[in-house]
Amino acid sequence: MKQDNKLIVNAGSAGSLQVVLAVLTAMGKDYPIPVLVVLHRNNTFESSLEELFASRTRLVIKEVEEKDAIQPGVVYISPADYHVLIEQDRTFSLDYSERVNYSRPSIDVTFRSAAEVYGSGLIALLLSGGNADGAEGMQWVRDGGGLTIVQDPQTAEVPYMPQQVLLRMTVDIVAPTEELPELIHSLAYK
Amino acid sequence: METNPIQYEELELLLNDLYKRYGYDFTEYSKASLHRRVQRLYTLDNFPSFAEFRYRLQSDSHYFRRFVEEITVNVTEMLRDPSFYRTLRTTILPILATYPFIRIWHAGCSTGEEVYSMAILLKEAGLLHKALLYGTDINPLVIEKARKGIFPVSQMQKYSENYIQSGGVKDFSTYYTANYHLAKFDSGLTGKMIFSTHNLVSDFSFNEFQLILCRNVLIYFERELQAKVFKLFDYSLENFGYLALGSKESLRFSSIADRYRQVGREKIWRKVHEAG
Ligand SMILES: C[S@@+](CC[C@H](N)C(=O)[O-])C[C@H]1O[C@@H](n2cnc3c(N)ncnc32)[C@H](O)[C@@H]1O
């Protein structure tokens, strides 16, 4: 059963890479929801991120290109130094505007845009990180009716980012690191 | 978080107004980014309602100018993507060197950093004396800045790193004079540049070029508008000329693609046939 009215966005900063990898691995090869990964990355040196991801999942890994149509079975990765936005027709747009929360890509920017398009079909997961990016975005996800999940700060390598969310709002799920892969996997079949 | 979001239908209304009133057509811009920019301006300028925002734009041409300045994304850098500039140095400039006169067009040049970067490369290749660089943008404010060639000193360290990575071997600081927090670029570079406003949506071709750069502009356009702009570039490019795009943009899906060949891995295409 393909679910293209849904999108899951995994977002994080410092300390989130291993968690993202574990989540992707647990998705298996038939995960029915398209996946977008937004990571703060340190520029061009990490262009091998795609290879790393590909080694851990059987889903197709693709760096977002402008106007790509969002498809299930694909894990899209935000390119370094562009914001990722989503159009009403469920294609990606890239934007080279000012940094937001010192970040480009900014998680806030993507969460908000995804919430506007996917509404209650959006699942937003915010992981470990050292800045406040993503906290406001989570509020947009909630207001749009989407599912909000944060990594339990107590189990996050860098707790600050998920903490900032919890200071602002109550989320649907706070999950410890080791439960996240199974949780995300199970959501697809609800 | 602003509490007064603009609806996409409202944005459409506004864009139609602006087209009728001022002849600027933003209706084929990618909506997600445009919406975000318009929303930002609306919130920044504290309009109590969308109706008042719309009315102000209809009735006040100065405010419309501000609108154009604010909704365009003018972020830019010198020698951004050093590997791109390295390819220009090693592969493209040696071929341009064989021409008696070199004309280059930077479409959507913003505040001009890209044009100054190119001038430095041309100078180091001994080609600047026979080159002319045209920089154009829809936003008049950035064009004024580009003409001055003055950039924040705080950026220079980054630019100098880009410069070295792009294959530069000089001391980057010889290209500008620093004065407090500003760096003024050498007038020898500026002398070879012509800056002017030009709207890619509605304005025509104005010359024939051997190289056109349009980087990080097409990401803001929908497919049909991209197609129109590619035709404009194709028309403005000499046979065997080059078209350079931003690192996330491509000619691949365009109707002119079959007459162009990509140069290596960079986003540079060479025109190999004239339109039939
Ligand atoms: C992100 S900047 C790119 C600057 C530079 N080329 C670079 O890659 O760093 C995009 C520029 O495109 C300009 N632009 C947007 N719409 C345009 C149009 N219709 N015609 C000409 N320029 C346009 C904007 O004003 C802005 O300065």
Side-chain angles (χ1 to χ4, degrees), chain A residues 3-47:
Chain A
Q3 304 192 21
D4 38 21
N5 54 341
K6 288 194 174 180
L7 175 71
I8 171 160
V9 184
N10 296 342
S13 189
S16 65
L17 187 57
Q18 291 309 322
V19 194
V20 172
L21 287 171
V23 167
L24 292 182
T25 305
M27 284 176 173
K29 75 171 183 10
D30 298 317
Y31 199 73
I33 306 177
V35 183
L36 170 62
V37 177
V38 182
L39 291 181
H40 295 160
R41 35 201 290 195
N42 290 335
N43 226 327
T44 42
F45 302 106
E46 287 180 33
S47 57

Side-chain angles (χ1 to χ4, degrees), chain B:
Chain B
M1 275 176 86
E2 72 270 338
T3 46
N4 220 349
I6 296 176
Q7 303 303 312
Y8 274 79
E9 298 73 38
E10 293 175 323
L11 179 64
E12 297 285 339
L13 284 176
L14 188 76
L15 299 182
N16 287 329
D17 285 355
L18 298 180
Y19 181 44
K20 279 193 218 128
R21 171 80 172 78
Y22 300 104
Y24 278 72
D25 187 357
F26 295 107
T27 58
E28 293 183 279
Y29 276 51
S30 301
K31 295 301 172 308
S33 162
L34 187 63
H35 180 265
R36 183 169 168 259
R37 301 298 286 185
V38 173
Q39 178 78 58
R40 178 179 151 275
L41 179 64
Y42 174 68
T43 308
L44 201 67
D45 289 351
N46 273 317
F47 283 96
S49 71
F50 177 75
E52 286 188 51
F53 184 47
R54 197 176 162 195
Y55 177 74
R56 178 78 184 274
L57 276 165
Q58 275 283 7
S59 57
D60 180 350
S61 61
H62 289 103
Y63 190 70
F64 173 66
R65 186 178 151 126
R66 170 168 168 79
F67 178 88
V68 173
E69 288 167 8
E70 291 295 325
I71 60 131
T72 52
V73 171
N74 306 122
V75 175
T76 185
E77 233 180 63
M78 282 187 86
L79 298 153
R80 178 174 188 215
D81 308 322
S83 70
F84 167 80
Y85 285 94
R86 188 182 273 274
T87 303
L88 287 182
R89 279 186 201 272
T90 56
T91 313
I92 310 296
L93 293 191
I95 293 177
L96 295 187
T98 63
Y99 289 85
F101 195 73
I102 306 169
R103 280 183 307 272
I104 300 177
W105 178 17
H106 297 261
C109 69
S110 190
T111 37
E113 282 83 339
E114 196 183 85
V115 190
Y116 286 84
S117 309
M118 180 64 85
I120 289 173
L121 260 57
L122 287 164
K123 180 152 196 212
E124 295 188 354
L127 299 174
L128 188 61
H129 67 281
K130 60 169 182 173
L132 210 46
L133 296 94
Y134 293 76
T136 64
D137 200 282
I138 190 177
N139 177 351
L141 189 69
V142 293
I143 287 298
E144 278 167 35
K145 287 194 183 155
R147 281 195 188 113
K148 296 203 177 92
I150 299 176
F151 305 113
V153 154
S154 56
Q155 297 290 327
M156 293 305 138
Q157 187 179 343
K158 163 119 226 246
Y159 294 171
S160 145
E161 284 163 19
N162 286 353
Y163 169 78
I164 291 163
Q165 285 178 39
S166 79
V169 292
K170 293 201 176 175
D171 179 353
F172 187 68
S173 66
T174 57
Y175 288 110
Y176 60 85
T177 326
N179 196 348
Y180 296 99
H181 58 287
L182 295 175
K184 173 145 183 45
F185 276 72
D186 193 343
S187 58
L189 303 175
T190 326
K192 290 298 191 170
M193 301 172 187
I194 297 173
F195 288 104
S196 150
T197 54
H198 179 278
N199 185 347
L200 289 167
V201 180
S202 51
D203 291 338
F204 297 110
S205 173
F206 56 92
N207 212 326
E208 256 205 332
F209 301 92
Q210 285 100 21
L211 171 59
I212 299 176
L213 296 94
C214 183
R215 310 188 72 220
N216 301 301
V217 181
L218 295 169
I219 46 175
Y220 297 104
F221 297 172
E222 290 177 348
R223 275 257 197 271
E224 294 79 50
L225 180 54
Q226 289 184 346
K228 277 187 227 165
V229 175
F230 279 135
K231 282 201 182 125
L232 172 68
F233 290 154
D234 186 41
Y235 187 75
S236 309
L237 202 58
E238 277 186 19
N239 206 11
F240 302 114
Y242 295 93
L243 175 60
L245 305 179
S247 65
K248 300 295 161 206
E249 295 161 332
S250 178
L251 202 64
R252 203 172 14 169
F253 301 111
S254 79
S255 66
I256 63 167
D258 53 344
R259 292 186 290 103
Y260 283 72
R261 294 270 173 287
Q262 191 164 3
V263 180
R265 293 182 61 213
E266 296 297 333
K267 297 297 177 84
I268 304 173
W269 283 262
R270 186 171 206 193
K271 181 173 181 176
V272 289
H273 295 292
E274 282 292 354

Side-chain angles (χ1 to χ4, degrees), chain A residues 1 3 6 8 23 26-28 31-33 123 147 149 173 175 179-190:
Chain A
M1 182 188 48
Q3 304 192 21
K6 288 194 174 180
I8 171 160
V23 167
M27 284 176 173
Y31 199 73
I33 306 177
I123 301 168
L147 188 70
I149 309 172
I173 305 173
E179 286 173 21
L180 276 169
E182 178 49 33
L183 170 71
I184 300 298
H185 178 259
S186 68
L187 286 174
Y189 306 98
K190 287 221 163 110

Side-chain angles (χ1 to χ4, degrees), chain A residues 118-140:
Chain A
Y118 282 88
S120 61
L122 179 64
I123 301 168
L125 169 61
L126 191 69
L127 303 168
S128 165
N131 85 12
D133 194 23
E136 184 180 311
M138 272 295 190
Q139 291 178 287
W140 289 103

